[in-house]
Structure formats: structure tokens, C-alpha cells
Amino acid sequence: MGRLTWAAIPFDQPVVMIASGTVGFLIFCVLALVTVKGWWPYLWREWITSVDHKRIGVMYILLALLMLVRGFSDAMLMRSQLALAAGHAQGYLPPEHYDQIFSAHGTIMIFFVAMPFVIGLMNFVLPLQLGVRDVAFPVLNSVGFWLSAAGVLLVNVSLVVGEFARTGWLAYPPLSEVAYSPGVGVDYYLWSLQISGLGTLLSGINLTTTILKLRAPGMGYRRMPIFCWTALASNLLIVAAFPILTATFAMLLLDRYCGFHFFTNDLGGNPMMYINLIWCWGHPEVYILILPAFGVFSEVVATFSGKPLFGRRSMVMATMAICVLSFLVWLHHFFTMGAGADVNAFFGIATMIIAVPTGVKIFNWLFTLYGGRIRFTVPIYWAIGFMVTFVIGGMTGVLMAIPPADFVLHNSLFLIAHFHNVAIGGVVFGVMAGISYWFPKAFGFTLNERLGKSVFWCWFVGFYLAFMPLYVLGLMGATRRMQHYSNTHWQPLMLVALAGAVLILLGIALTVVQIAVSIRHRELNRDITGDPWNGRTLEWSTPSPPPAWNFSHLPQVGRADAFWAMKQQRGTAQDRNVKRTYETIHVPRNNPTGFFLAFFAVLLGFSLIWRIWWGAELGLLGAIVVGLVQAWRTDGEIEVPAEKVAAFEQLNGLKEKAA
């Protein structure tokens, strides 16, 4: 079994054993419930093997919600430790465990919460907004999701078997080299991210191809919804940036497994090259996450203002400018490395320049709201909260773009506050707005508004309580990644930050309550028309939830905000009762390839982590066999008869008429 022994399970760490035992018990209860209820055939048929982009998008978001709970539990551990560990008090987390927690927190929140959230939203929405029946490569879409799930599983296994990295969420060498991290923690980090990163790259290729090649008749680039533009920019960045991450991790793996010296301190290695490469991926990654959120806010603001987005062309230009400029600012993450004044000045100026198109977007949203008939629903709450919060985060970012200021603030809690300011105020607020906005389209009923507003206020107030004190602490000299501090004057602010984290935790709990209450009262909030918000784009022209084929007839697009234009012409939400001729539609057949590939990817990754070479060979062979079987499949589609399509349309037309 290679290096795997009973000593790998941390029986001597009660916090770890209690946490892993609780998670194991919950998993057992869920599996027992599914078995007792006889739900396995349904789950296998409708979800696990589904290649429907809508189902895959929902599974991405569910995965992200689960990992949000896991990642936020690490955040609570850190905040409570720092609230206690002042002066002579040492807190309750030993340094080596605390190091694993902050490394896992950053890794999980970026790779396994934020990425699945935005990819899930893009998966669900893009084909509907583009007026097409599916993504370009449905099976590849499933493979991308299940590889991401495989990475999630490996990260969580590290909680029980072995350890996680103690290097921070980007695993800088030489700390991540074998000499300083001889255990399996860095290997868990590298293999889980290599596997999930491959899934993300496949999704990026798939969604980019979908946007460029599969638009509805008449939908030129100028008529695409803004969310499609921001998704295009995000996925172009994925295609360009994620190979850098894959190659960088491959070199670090060669250092650890084969004795290479790409990033060591001796034999010609250069640790700074790793930091350059990781941030060549890392800064575009920031925009991979935030650009789809910008698209969500554009759709929300236009819909709930009842008017077209102000400055649509400038919004598109700003989006693509960010896409290009994001590759020219990576070095601002390490001004302190000694590159020299000229290099630092170039990247400082580039960082200030990239703030300009972001500012353009803020003004576009504000001018859209100005003069509109604003409906203060939950999505618009998130949008307004985002604009206030993100402007503050942007200003602190521009401050840190000044190299002399960055020399003071670089490794302090000020940086942590800035990053969370844009990550929570931008990405999380955007995702929550998107979930509230498109939830009725996915499930056929709206979420509870009162609880949704409670969730927003918990996140909004909790964020300010949790992170504004960190700006002050950073200016006072508090550094990041510290497990204990001797200056007891910092403790009151640490306690305020803990209170903010508790309030955010309440917001997460209320999200679960909101979903449960909404499901219980779904008949009261049923969306019968398919257009509960009086939307502007094509996804609202379909029933809620849409059928497997999305559109019985592909829409003909004549202008931007295509569905809004159709409603102005017809005077109804959608005229599905007009007598039409229906044709047989081909939809992708269910396919288990992604699930089986994920199984063998987990076996391969776990075996390589523990040096179980026979297991690695079996995992690689299994993945190859699954790939070959898929390559020789010829039954990729099934037919939906015209009669079934007509019956579905007639039923939904009658429902709309009754409404």
C-alpha cells in the first residue's frame, strides 16, 4: 500500500476526528435514505448520467454549496482561534493544524466553491440565452463536472487520511518541495487541483465553442446578452490561463516525484519562476470568477429597472478590455520580490488602467437604475450591495497597486481584507443574485422573498463586521497566516471579526432554511408563465423548468433583448398557442462516461499521493478504457417525436392561458 498505513489517520487529533466522524455520519444517513426510498434508479437516470446542460449546471451549484459549508467551517476555525490566541493564551489549534486549515480554506473557496458556482450558472443559462438546445459537447460537459467532483472528493479525503498542505493556497516553493514538505499534504493539493483543473479546462473549451458557434438564427455578436459576453471573456481566460496552471503543477510534481529541480533552491532551480507562473494564471483567475458575476448584475439591473442596460456597447468593450488586460498585471502580487523600479512601475500602472473598465461598468449599472422603475426584489438587493462593497474593494486594490504602499501592506491582514472584499462582494454576491434570479427557471417556483432578504442582510452586515476590522489590523501591523499574536490591543477587533463571521454563518444557515421553506410552499410560488420577472432575454421565453430540448422552435432574433422585443410585438409573455408544425428533435442520450472517468481519476490521484503504484496503473488503465469505449459509441442521441413536443407545448400553453 505504498506509504499508506494506519498512522495516516489522525486518531490523536480530536477536532479532526470529530469533524470527519460527523461528515461520515451525515454521508451514511444520506446514502441510507436514498437506498430506503429506492431513489437510486432515478438519481442514476436523471442526474448522475445526465448530459443535459441544465442538470449539470444545477449539480455544479449544489457541489459549490456543499463545499461552501466545508470551506466556511475552516474560516470559523481561523476566526475563533485568532479571537482567543492573544498574549499568553494559545487558543485551541496547534500551529501545524492551523496551517492546514488556512491552506484548505483558500484552496476550497477558490477552486471548489467559486469556480463551480460560476461554471454552474454559465452551464445552466448560456444555451437558454443563446436560443439553442444544448452546449457544443454535452458528454464533455458531463466529464468536466465529474472531474471537478473528483477533485472535491480528494480534498475531503485529506481531512481523514493523511493531511493537507501547510503551504498556503498557492503552495509556493521551496516550502512545497520535498525537503520542506515531505508528507502527502502537498501531493493532495497538487493532484486534486490537476484533476479538477482539467475538468475546468474542458468546460472552458466547451462553453467558448458554444458561444462562438451555436447561437440562435439572427443572433450576431452585437445581439448577444451581456451575460453571454462576460461568459465568453471568462471562458477565453480559462482556455488561455488554465494550461499555465497545469504545466506549473506538472513541474512541481516532477520536482517532488522524480527529483527534478525546476523550483528548488539548488541545481539551477528558481522558486521565483513558480511564483511568476502561478500568478500568470492567478490574476486572470480573478477575472474568470468576477466577469460572470458582472454579467449577472447586468441582467438583474436591466430586468428590475424595466429598461435596457445603459451603454451596452461600452459594457461589451469594457468586458473584453478586462479580458486582455488581465494578463498584464500579474506581477502586482509580488512587488516585494526585487524586480526593480521600472518593472514595478509598469505593473502598477497596468493595474490602475484595468480599474478603468471596471469603473465603466459601475457607472453603466448606476445609469441603468437611474430613471428606471426599480422593483426591490432579492436579486436587486444583491446588486446594490455589490456596487457599494465592490467599489470599496476596488479602491483598496488601487491603493495596493502603488508599489511603495504595497511594500507596507503586502503580507498584512489589509491584503486579506481587500481580497475578500472583491471575492465576497463581487463573486459571492453575484452568484447569490444569479441563483435568486434564475431559480424559478430551473425549478418552476420562486424562492421565499422574506428569507432571501434576511440572507442578504446577514451576508452584507456580516461581511462588513468580519473584514473592515482586518483593514485596520493590517495597518496596525497584523500579518496574514498568523496563529497567535502577542499584541493584546488587536483582540477587540478580532472579536468583532468573529462576530461578523458568525453572522455570515447565520446567512448560510438561512439559505438552507429558505430553500427548504420554498420547496414546502412551492405550489404557492409556482411559475406558470415561465417569465416571473418580466425578463428581457430568451431564457424567459421557455417554460419553467424548460424541457430537455429547451426550444421547440429555435427563436429568430432581430435585436438585442430579443424576448423583450417579442413581447412588445405580441403583447403576451409568449404565444405558444399559435398553431404550428412540430418536427422530431434529437437530444443527447444519457452517458455514464463522466462518472466512470471520475471514479478512475480518484483512484489514480489517491494512489499517486500514497505511492501505491499498482493502484495508479489500474486507475490510468481504467480511464483509458472508459475513454476508448466512449470514442467508439455510436448511439449518442435519442429522438423526441414531434407528437411529444406538440403535446408538451400544448400543455404549457394551456397552463399559461389559465394563469
Side-chain angles (χ1 to χ4, degrees):
M1 296 299 289
R3 296 195 293 176
L4 182 60
T5 64
W6 284 108
I9 300 177
F11 292 110
D12 59 331
Q13 297 184 32
V15 174
V16 175
M17 295 309 297
I18 291 171
S20 57
T22 303
V23 171
F25 177 72
L26 290 174
I27 292 173
F28 172 79
C29 290
V30 170
L31 294 178
L33 177 65
V34 171
T35 303
V36 170
K37 293 286 188 179
W39 290 342
W40 285 115
Y42 167 78
L43 290 174
W44 178 261
R45 182 180 64 254
E46 298 293 333
W47 294 94
I48 295 174
T49 62
S50 176
V51 295
D52 185 340
H53 71 94
K54 301 179 288 296
R55 298 288 174 96
I56 291 173
V58 170
M59 288 193 290
Y60 265 117
I61 292 171
L62 287 174
L63 182 70
L65 286 170
L66 287 173
M67 292 306 289
L68 175 64
V69 175
R70 164 69 210 279
F72 197 80
S73 66
D74 290 335
M76 289 301 300
L77 290 172
M78 288 188 288
R79 293 265 61 88
S80 55
Q81 166 69 16
L82 290 177
L84 297 172
H88 297 294
Q90 296 300 313
Y92 64 98
L93 290 174
E96 63 276 5
H97 189 195
Y98 185 84
D99 291 349
Q100 290 183 57
I101 287 172
F102 71 67
S103 301
H105 172 72
T107 304
I108 287 169
M109 287 302 199
I110 294 296
F111 290 98
F112 301 124
V113 176
M115 286 300 295
F117 264 141
V118 298
I119 293 177
L121 282 178
M122 290 189 293
N123 251 294
F124 182 85
V125 175
L126 278 178
L128 292 169
Q129 282 201 341
L130 292 169
V132 297
R133 294 195 170 112
D134 213 319
V135 293
F137 311 113
V139 176
L140 200 67
N141 203 21
S142 172
V143 170
F145 166 74
W146 284 109
L147 288 178
S148 298
V152 164
L153 182 57
L154 277 179
V155 162
N156 284 292
V157 167
S158 71
L159 183 67
V160 187
V161 185
E163 61 182 5
F164 196 67
R166 301 170 185 169
T167 55
W169 76 279
L170 286 177
Y172 286 173
L175 183 57
S176 56
E177 297 282 358
V178 174
Y180 300 99
S181 295
V184 297
V186 175
D187 299 326
Y188 267 114
Y189 170 89
L190 291 171
W191 285 114
S192 62
L193 296 190
Q194 282 290 59
I195 292 169
S196 65
L198 176 59
T200 301
L201 180 59
L202 295 178
S203 295
I205 294 169
N206 198 356
L207 294 174
T208 301
T209 307
T210 301
I211 297 169
L212 295 179
K213 303 298 289 185
L214 294 183
R215 298 184 303 278
M219 183 180 282
Y221 291 123
R222 292 185 179 182
R223 295 172 180 172
M224 280 203 316
I226 293 297
F227 182 76
C228 296
W229 272 107
T230 58
L232 175 61
S234 176
N235 285 287
L236 287 172
L237 289 175
I238 288 175
V239 173
F242 264 80
I244 302 174
L245 182 72
T246 302
T248 306
F249 284 166
M251 286 187 277
L252 185 54
L253 284 166
L254 287 170
D255 279 8
R256 290 184 60 84
Y257 281 75
C258 302
F260 283 39
H261 294 277
F262 287 108
F263 308 124
T264 60
N265 274 323
D266 50 6
L267 295 175
N270 186 355
M272 279 312 307
M273 182 54 66
Y274 178 94
I275 297 175
N276 270 285
L277 288 171
I278 204 72
W279 282 114
C280 279
W281 160 83
H283 202 83
E285 167 69 6
V286 173
Y287 294 103
I288 288 169
L289 297 175
I290 198 66
L291 283 171
F294 288 168
V296 171
F297 292 126
S298 299
E299 302 293 342
V300 165
V301 166
T303 296
F304 294 105
S305 298
K307 55 187 285 196
L309 188 70
F310 178 88
R312 174 188 167 81
R313 185 176 298 178
S314 64
M315 180 70 83
V316 172
M317 292 173 64
T319 298
M320 301 316 291
I322 289 172
C323 183
V324 174
L325 291 172
S326 65
F327 278 100
L328 301 177
V329 297
W330 79 87
L331 196 132
H332 71 209
H333 291 274
F334 45 100
F335 279 142
T336 57
M337 80 171 188
D342 293 340
V343 172
N344 284 359
F346 172 85
F347 283 94
I349 293 168
T351 304
M352 296 177 193
I353 290 172
I354 203 173
V356 174
T358 307
V360 168
K361 289 174 176 289
I362 295 289
F363 283 108
N364 284 357
W365 294 317
L366 288 174
F367 285 131
T368 304
L369 290 170
Y370 179 75
R373 298 174 63 89
I374 304 172
R375 290 173 286 155
F376 286 96
T377 58
V378 172
I380 207 74
Y381 271 54
W382 288 108
I384 295 172
F386 151 78
M387 282 186 263
V388 174
T389 307
F390 195 79
V391 166
I392 295 171
M395 289 190 297
T396 59
V398 172
L399 173 63
M400 297 186 71
I402 304 170
D406 188 69
F407 268 73
V408 177
L409 302 171
H410 177 73
N411 216 34
S412 72
L413 287 181
F414 189 96
L415 171 64
I416 299 301
H418 158 70
F419 181 79
H420 285 81
N421 205 155
V422 294
I424 293 177
V427 180
V428 175
F429 281 21
V431 167
M432 298 299 279
I435 291 173
S436 301
Y437 182 57
W438 283 303
F439 189 92
K441 180 54 56 181
F443 297 103
F445 58 93
T446 54
L447 287 169
N448 184 285
E449 280 281 311
R450 180 178 294 180
L451 284 170
K453 290 174 182 176
S454 300
V455 170
F456 164 76
W457 285 114
C458 285
W459 272 96
F460 187 74
V461 177
F463 163 78
Y464 280 92
L465 284 176
F467 292 101
M468 292 301 122
L470 300 194
Y471 280 121
V472 179
L473 286 165
L475 292 171
M476 293 169 68
T479 58
R480 64 197 299 195
R481 305 190 183 102
M482 63 180 181
Q483 177 259 353
H484 169 269
Y485 50 94
S486 57
N487 189 343
T488 55
H489 295 294
W490 296 350
Q491 191 170 25
L493 289 173
M494 291 291 187
L495 289 168
V496 174
L498 174 61
V502 171
L503 197 54
I504 295 175
L505 180 63
L506 177 61
I508 295 173
L510 283 175
T511 301
V512 178
V513 174
Q514 179 195 21
I515 293 172
V517 170
S518 301
I519 292 172
R520 175 173 293 182
H521 299 137
R522 59 188 178 276
E523 293 304 327
L524 297 176
N525 300 311
R526 182 69 66 185
D527 172 26
I528 301 176
T529 66
D531 185 23
W533 310 125
N534 194 19
R536 310 183 70 85
T537 44
L538 288 175
E539 72 269 29
W540 303 110
S541 69
T542 65
S544 297
W549 53 88
N550 289 350
F551 298 91
S552 301
H553 294 87
L554 294 183
Q556 183 69 41
V557 175
R559 49 160 286 185
D561 289 345
F563 184 48
W564 184 262
M566 294 176 190
K567 289 190 289 189
Q568 302 311 306
Q569 293 170 4
R570 297 175 182 172
T572 59
Q574 185 185 18
D575 187 6
R576 298 195 194 98
N577 294 315
V578 174
K579 188 161 185 172
R580 299 178 178 178
T581 57
Y582 294 93
E583 298 178 352
T584 298
I585 296 175
H586 293 82
V587 297
R589 186 184 298 274
N590 283 11
N591 195 308
T593 298
F595 180 79
F596 289 134
L597 275 178
F599 173 82
F600 287 113
V602 170
L603 176 60
L604 174 64
F606 185 82
S607 299
L608 287 169
I609 289 164
W610 290 100
R611 312 306 202 264
I612 307 171
W613 303 120
W614 63 266
E617 292 169 2
L618 185 61
L620 180 60
L621 178 63
I624 292 172
V625 169
V626 172
L628 290 174
V629 170
Q630 170 60 26
W632 262 266
R633 282 177 67 105
T634 57
D635 55 341
E637 294 182 337
I638 58 175
E639 289 186 352
V640 180
E643 297 79 13
K644 182 176 179 181
V645 177
F648 178 87
E649 285 293 302
Q650 184 180 14
L651 176 63
N652 282 275
L654 289 172
K655 283 182 181 178
E656 181 186 312
K657 192 173 182 181

